[in-house]
């Protein structure tokens, strides 16, 4: 018997979270996709003080971080704050997990109903927004109707607005069954997993103008190991009027200035000076 993921809302939903599960990569590889430097995972079981450091007083002043681990069936996962996934550097080329892997994203902000997205090699396979999914024929959608009280309509499957029980635990149970998802409940809730900082150590100026289309929003490129450059926010937008059909190729490679991320000045790593 495995822990599954039906318990997520009960144990984590009160504070909100962003969960990323990826098939076929290690936890450290996932951490690097999210922005961590290689070899920087801190394991609470081998580094005394890690849990207090990340979860104790003053932790809100630290850079964005993730708790990462590996699960059954070749999945790895990362748990973060809801805000971490919206950073601009997550959108840049070289960091897009979803174009080459099977990825399950669950975002619970506590202000809106949890949102679920399943992506398989760049294609969105199943989503849930506001307890609604437009894919009536998907096995997860069909089981939501037969097992969780969702209502089937020609244009989508919907949670029953009149019911006080949204059935989110059933959603997670069925989703987990279908994709083979299971998380180590005790290790997650007790935070006994490696932690790692994912926020960039150098912040690049992002008010440059795209030389190809004139857009003023530019994104930091890749994982920070290349020369500093910015790419157009529309680099992966397809078939939008006014932009190249394969996405905007604009990038800025000169006059790109970075500044140290001031949050890293707050770091006093356990065991360090």
């Amino acid at each position: 018997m495995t822990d599954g993921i039906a318990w997520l809302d009960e144990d984590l939903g009160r504070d909100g979270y962003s969960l990323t599960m990826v098939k076929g990569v290690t936890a450290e590889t996932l951490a690097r996709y999210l922005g961590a430097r290689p070899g920087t995972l801190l394991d609470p079981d081998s580094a005394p003080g890690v849990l207090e450091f990340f979860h104790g007083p003053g932790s809100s002043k630290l850079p964005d971080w993730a708790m990462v681990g590996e699960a059954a069936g070749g999945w790895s996962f990362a748990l973060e704050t809801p805000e971490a996934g919206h950073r601009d550097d997550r959108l840049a080329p070289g960091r897009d997990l979803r174009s080459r892997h099977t990825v399950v994203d669950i975002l619970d902000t506590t202000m809106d109903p949890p949102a679920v997205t399943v992506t398989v090699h760049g294609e969105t396979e199943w989503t849930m927004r506001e307890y609604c999914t437009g894919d009536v024929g998907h096995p997860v959608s069909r089981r939501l109707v037969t097992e969780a009280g969702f209502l089937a309509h020609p244009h989508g499957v919907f949670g029953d607005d009149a019911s006080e029980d949204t059935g989110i635990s059933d959603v997670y149970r069925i989703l987990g069954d279908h994709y083979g998802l299971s998380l180590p409940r005790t290790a997650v809730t007790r935070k006994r997993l490696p932690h790692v900082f994912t926020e960039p150590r150098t912040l690049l100026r992002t008010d440059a103008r795209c030389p190809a289309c004139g857009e003023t929003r530019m994104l930091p490129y890749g994982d920070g190991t290349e020369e500093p450059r910015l790419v157009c926010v529309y680099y992966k937008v397809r078939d939008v009027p006014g932009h190249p059909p394969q996405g905007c190729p604009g990038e800025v490679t000169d006059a790109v200035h970075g500044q140290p991320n001031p949050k890293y000045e707050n770091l006093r790593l356990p065991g360090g000076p």
Side-chain angles (χ1 to χ4, degrees):
M1 181 176 180
T2 64
D3 292 333
I5 62 170
W7 52 270
L8 283 173
D9 187 59
E10 178 182 351
D11 287 9
L12 303 182
R14 177 175 297 181
D15 297 324
Y17 62 93
S18 175
L19 170 65
T20 304
M21 298 193 71
V22 186
K23 186 78 175 285
V25 303
T26 66
E28 185 163 7
T29 298
L30 173 55
R32 291 179 62 181
Y33 270 113
L34 297 179
R37 288 187 171 182
T40 57
L41 270 65
L42 296 173
D43 191 335
D45 290 332
S46 58
V50 166
L51 292 184
E52 178 66 16
F53 179 63
F54 279 93
H55 301 276
S59 60
S60 61
K61 298 179 181 180
L62 297 177
D64 288 345
W65 52 268
M67 183 171 68
V68 299
E70 295 182 6
W75 291 86
S76 63
F77 65 94
L79 278 161
E80 304 176 275
T81 65
E83 297 79 17
H86 297 293
R87 297 197 322 254
D88 278 355
D89 62 286
R90 291 284 177 86
L91 302 175
R95 297 276 295 282
D96 190 358
L97 279 164
R98 292 149 193 84
S99 64
R100 63 190 73 178
H101 296 287
T102 297
V103 182
V104 176
D105 292 293
I106 298 178
L107 176 64
D108 187 345
T109 67
T110 73
M111 299 183 66
D112 299 301
V116 181
T117 304
V118 180
T119 310
V120 180
H121 296 293
E123 299 294 330
T124 301
E125 182 170 291
W126 189 82
T127 63
M128 186 185 74
R129 299 288 185 275
E130 301 287 339
Y131 299 118
C132 303
T133 174
D135 191 341
V136 180
H138 193 280
V140 172
S141 298
R142 295 201 303 265
R143 287 185 61 184
L144 287 177
V145 173
T146 59
E147 300 176 32
F150 277 57
L151 306 177
H153 297 277
H155 55 290
V157 172
F158 300 85
D160 186 356
D161 293 337
S163 173
E164 295 181 0
D165 181 9
T166 60
I168 192 63
S169 62
D170 285 325
V171 172
Y172 293 160
R173 173 181 59 81
I174 293 168
L175 185 74
D177 286 349
H178 183 76
Y179 289 102
L181 308 176
S182 181
L183 294 174
R185 184 174 187 173
T186 299
V188 167
T189 56
R190 296 183 180 177
K191 304 176 179 61
R192 305 301 310 188
L193 292 164
H195 290 56
V196 66
F197 292 109
T198 62
E199 194 167 336
R201 292 176 179 268
T202 301
L203 302 176
L204 298 183
R205 180 172 59 85
T206 60
D207 58 353
R209 184 177 294 275
C210 176
C213 71
E215 170 62 36
T216 58
R217 186 181 178 198
M218 304 290 285
L219 303 174
Y221 176 83
D223 59 6
T225 60
E226 302 87 356
E227 290 297 319
R229 58 175 146 164
L230 303 172
V231 297
C232 183
V233 70
Y234 291 107
Y235 81 94
K236 63 178 180 179
V237 171
R238 305 292 185 264
D239 301 320
V240 173
H243 297 281
Q246 297 304 314
C248 185
E251 66 177 47
V252 177
T253 57
D254 56 358
V256 178
H257 303 289
Q259 62 182 29
N261 187 337
K263 290 184 180 180
Y264 281 92
E265 297 177 1
N266 301 322
L267 294 191
R268 298 294 183 270
L269 294 175

